[in-house]
């Protein structure tokens, strides 16, 4: 593959994202393990998971506006600095208050400590939104699905590493040294970012986006793509089901294993991320990523319904492996659709809206299901009546209540995924994806040249050659484009007519 500034930058950004994701996931997993081991409270772990997603829901739209308004490199630097500062504050709290105060669920310091760590992890979502738009900026259209697969592979590798080391760190080092490791690793991402040069221009300000929460601009971009709103709603509903697994998967696993062994079990299961992402990187998603998405969702529902039918660790671990292998293709399908049907200069806000809506769904389920599981379903399944009614299907064991909840959650996912094939929105978005004009991002001037490395001239020549030959141009700087015009270019006086034609199509 020819070495250009864009390809070099994309590779470096992936490496940096790997380091950052490893760090934030490492501390997130460690906090969950630590709290459950010390308190044995499903409610506490469910609230922590729900609070994490609630934070994402609150900040994601603001993050999307920040991404659209600033250079992607600047956004990633900001993410590293804020995360490192948050983890440092958590470390100070740990030294100041001690473990006894931080593990008192009825006291303020437990919640302060947890929220500071969660905030540092949530800021990573700012980098992830920037990364999704960077794929559009740096990768040719016909390779974006493959690039999204690489992103999924990197995220899976981060999950694999942190699954092992979080359990080992809590089991052998404790929470104090775990915090030290996280602070040092996040500082490393900042230093590494200082040496990365992304060939990009300075984004032009959107005159219609006057606030940090540009909800109106996001809605306009979504409305110009028929069926896109339905895709986001569908993903939001899937996250409602995903909240069940988020709240219950770790408690279930920790009933089968100790913390160290559970970390290794998660590490093995997370190699499914690598396989799933690698398959997408190699083969793409096919000509109809929407169809691929729905088929994967149905398969995930079937799997989620059966991989806890017996309290047998091989069934659970292998089931998790297959489930995780299907996550990268599903996420890559949604990202690939948005990257093609939404104009580049608004992709940050659209990804932000999608992240906000999808993230808001999971806490609803987590906050509801954790207390229901702990106080109703799990005790009921331990009674003779519960065993008589469901024992034939779910067998015997300590966590049959969790298995019952996941059984019904998976069946609901199967039904909803099948019904989605029959909707008008599915047909509209599939047709729009097939016929959407190529994203046109002409080469930037001035700022781009100043930021690019020695490969920038090669990248510019590549863009010019592709443009002259009628290929899909890839640029070093974003320029506002008409989202519905096949010609691309800047939106002009005929913008309203073009938009109307796009809605009719």
């Amino acid at each position: 593959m020819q070495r250009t500034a864009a390809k070099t930058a994309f590779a470096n950004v992936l490496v940096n994202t790997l380091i950052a994701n490893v760090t934030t996931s490492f501390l997130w997993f460690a906090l969950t393990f630590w709290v459950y081991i010390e308190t044995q409270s499903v409610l506490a772990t469910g609230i922590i998971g729900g609070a994490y997603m609630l934070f994402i829901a609150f900040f994601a739209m603001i993050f999307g506006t920040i991404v659209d308004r600033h250079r992607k490199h600047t956004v990633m630097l900001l993410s590293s600095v804020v995360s490192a500062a948050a983890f440092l504050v958590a470390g100070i709290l740990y030294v100041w208050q001690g473990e006894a105060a931080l593990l008192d669920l009825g006291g303020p310091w437990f919640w302060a400590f947890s929220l500071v760590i969660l905030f540092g992890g949530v800021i990573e979502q700012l980098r992830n939104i920037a990364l999704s738009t960077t794929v559009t900026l740096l990768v040719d259209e016909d390779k974006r699905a493959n690039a999204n697969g690489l992103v999924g592979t990197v995220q899976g590798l981060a999950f694999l590493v942190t699954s092992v080391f979080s359990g080992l760190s809590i089991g052998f080092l404790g929470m104090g040294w775990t915090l030290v490791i996280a602070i040092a690793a996040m500082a490393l991402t900042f230093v590494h970012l200082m040496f990365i040069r992304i060939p990009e221009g300075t984004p032009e300000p959107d005159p219609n986006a006057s606030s940090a929460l540009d909800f109106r601009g996001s809605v306009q971009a979504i409305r110009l793509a028929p069926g896109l709103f339905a895709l986001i709603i569908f993903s939001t509903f899937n996250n409602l089901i995903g909240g069940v697994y988020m709240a219950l998967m770790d408690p279930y696993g920790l009933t089968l294993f100790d913390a160290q062994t559970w970390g290794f079990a998660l590490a093995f299961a997370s190699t499914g991320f690598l396989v799933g992402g690698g398959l997408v990187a190699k083969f793409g998603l096919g000509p109809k990523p929407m169809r691929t998405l729905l088929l994967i969702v149905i398969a995930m529902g079937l799997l989620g319904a059966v991989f806890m039918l017996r309290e047998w660790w091989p069934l659970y671990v292998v089931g998790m492996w297959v489930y995780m292998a299907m996550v990268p293709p599903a996420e890559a399908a949604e990202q690939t659709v948005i990257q093609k049907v939404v104009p580049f200069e608004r992709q940050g806000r659209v990804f932000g809206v999608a992240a906000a809506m999808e993230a808001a769904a999971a806490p609803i389920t987590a906050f509801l299901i954790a207390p229901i599981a702990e106080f109703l379903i799990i005790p009921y399944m331990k009674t003779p009546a519960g065993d008589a009614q469901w024992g034939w299907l779910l067998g015997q064991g300590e966590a049959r209540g969790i298995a019952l909840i996941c059984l019904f959650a998976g069946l609901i996912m199967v039904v909803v995924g099948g019904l989605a094939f029959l909707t008008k929105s599915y047909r509209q978005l599939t047709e729009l994806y097939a016929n959407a004009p190529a994203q046109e991002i002409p080469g930037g001037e001035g700022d781009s040249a100043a930021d690019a490395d020695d490969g920038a001239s090669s990248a510019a020549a590549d863009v010019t050659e592709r443009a002259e030959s009628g290929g899909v141009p890839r640029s070093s700087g974003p320029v506002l484009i008409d989202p519905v015009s096949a010609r691309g270019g800047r939106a002009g006086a005929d913008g309203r007519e073009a938009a109307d034609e796009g809605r009719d199509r």
Side-chain angles (χ1 to χ4, degrees):
M1 195 166 60
Q2 181 183 2
R3 183 181 180 85
T4 65
K7 292 170 183 174
T8 300
F10 182 65
N12 281 320
V13 167
L14 279 180
V15 171
N16 190 267
T17 300
L18 173 62
I19 300 172
N21 283 352
V22 164
T23 305
T24 54
S25 297
F26 170 76
L27 195 54
W28 158 256
F29 273 77
L31 176 65
T32 304
F33 293 170
W34 183 61
V35 169
Y36 185 78
I37 290 169
E38 297 294 337
T39 67
Q40 296 294 306
S41 174
V42 175
L43 180 61
T45 57
I47 290 176
I48 289 173
Y52 178 79
M53 302 304 292
L54 201 59
F55 269 32
I56 291 179
F58 181 79
F59 287 106
M61 291 179 62
I62 297 176
F63 290 166
T65 304
I66 292 173
V67 168
D68 282 342
R69 288 181 176 179
H70 299 87
R71 295 184 181 185
K72 310 305 174 273
H73 183 259
T74 303
V75 170
M76 293 179 182
L77 282 172
L78 176 64
S79 174
S80 291
V81 169
V82 175
S83 291
F87 296 161
L88 181 60
V89 170
I92 294 172
L93 284 175
Y94 182 85
V95 174
W96 178 32
Q97 291 296 320
E99 288 197 0
L102 296 181
L103 288 169
D104 180 9
L105 301 185
W109 296 114
F110 168 78
W111 301 108
F113 180 72
S114 299
L115 289 176
V116 168
I117 291 178
L118 294 183
F119 180 74
V122 165
I123 294 298
E124 184 66 13
Q125 186 67 24
L126 179 61
R127 182 197 303 270
N128 291 336
I129 293 174
L131 179 61
S132 295
T133 63
T134 302
V135 171
T136 309
L137 175 67
L138 301 178
V139 180
D140 296 333
E141 180 183 314
D142 60 343
K143 294 295 182 182
R144 285 179 194 151
N146 307 77
N148 289 326
L150 284 176
V151 172
T153 301
V154 166
Q155 292 170 343
L157 184 58
F159 194 90
L160 185 155
V161 173
T162 56
S163 298
V164 174
F165 287 103
S166 294
L168 292 176
S169 184
I170 291 298
F172 295 116
L173 300 179
M175 193 64 190
W177 282 107
T178 299
L179 283 165
V180 171
I181 294 170
I183 295 168
M186 190 53 69
L188 177 63
T189 68
F190 176 80
V191 174
H192 181 235
L193 270 172
M194 297 296 292
F195 293 93
I196 296 177
R197 294 293 180 265
I198 298 178
E200 58 177 329
T202 302
E204 296 187 13
D206 186 346
N208 297 319
S210 58
S211 66
L213 186 62
D214 184 22
F215 183 73
R216 180 181 179 184
S218 305
V219 171
Q220 288 176 343
I222 293 171
R223 290 181 61 189
L224 287 171
L228 182 58
F229 184 70
L231 169 61
I232 295 174
I233 292 294
F234 178 76
S235 298
T236 299
F237 181 84
N238 285 338
N239 274 30
L240 281 170
I241 305 301
V244 174
Y245 299 107
M246 181 182 70
L248 302 178
M249 188 168 284
D250 279 330
Y252 188 84
L254 289 170
T255 63
L256 302 178
F257 307 99
D258 58 31
Q260 294 94 325
T261 308
W262 175 232
F264 280 109
L266 277 177
F268 169 77
S270 64
T271 61
F273 278 128
L274 303 183
V275 174
L279 289 174
V280 177
K282 176 68 175 177
F283 300 107
L285 295 164
K288 296 181 178 181
M290 278 298 299
R291 179 180 62 185
T292 304
L293 172 62
L294 296 185
L295 290 174
I296 290 172
V297 166
I298 292 173
M300 291 172 77
L302 287 172
L303 183 63
V306 302
F307 74 155
M308 296 184 191
L309 288 182
R310 289 293 185 276
E311 198 166 294
W312 186 39
W313 71 262
L315 175 65
Y316 187 53
V317 173
V318 173
M320 284 197 305
W321 187 92
V322 179
Y323 191 95
M324 291 180 183
M326 291 187 283
V327 171
E331 293 183 349
E334 182 181 8
Q335 291 175 348
T336 302
V337 170
I338 293 176
Q339 286 161 354
K340 184 169 183 180
V341 304
V342 175
F344 174 77
E345 78 280 0
R346 288 189 176 183
Q347 283 185 9
R349 280 164 285 181
V350 172
F351 278 118
V353 169
M357 293 181 63
E358 294 164 17
I364 294 174
T365 313
F367 285 140
L368 287 175
I369 209 65
I372 291 174
E374 182 161 344
F375 299 120
L376 294 178
I377 305 298
I378 293 176
Y380 167 73
M381 288 298 293
K382 292 180 179 180
T383 65
D387 181 67
Q389 186 168 3
W390 297 103
W392 63 274
L393 178 62
L394 302 176
Q396 307 295 321
E398 296 181 12
R400 297 301 80 207
I402 294 178
L404 180 64
I405 294 171
C406 291
L407 169 65
F408 281 100
L411 294 178
I412 292 172
M413 187 182 293
V414 171
V415 172
V416 173
L419 292 176
F421 272 111
L422 307 178
T423 63
K424 180 181 178 181
S425 296
Y426 166 74
R427 295 190 296 272
Q428 286 180 323
L429 193 55
T430 299
E431 181 180 356
L432 178 61
Y433 179 87
N435 299 316
Q439 290 277 7
E440 192 168 326
I441 315 173
E445 300 290 343
D447 293 331
S448 175
D451 286 340
D453 57 16
D454 293 338
S457 59
S458 175
D462 180 55
V463 170
T464 302
E465 179 181 353
R466 292 175 62 81
E468 291 175 351
S469 64
V472 180
R474 172 173 47 78
S475 84
S476 55
V479 175
L480 296 174
I481 65 172
D482 178 352
V484 295
S485 170
R487 299 185 306 276
R490 297 181 183 275
D494 60 344
R496 283 191 293 269
E497 288 81 1
D500 290 337
E501 292 172 6
R503 280 190 289 270
D504 290 340
R505 185 177 68 224

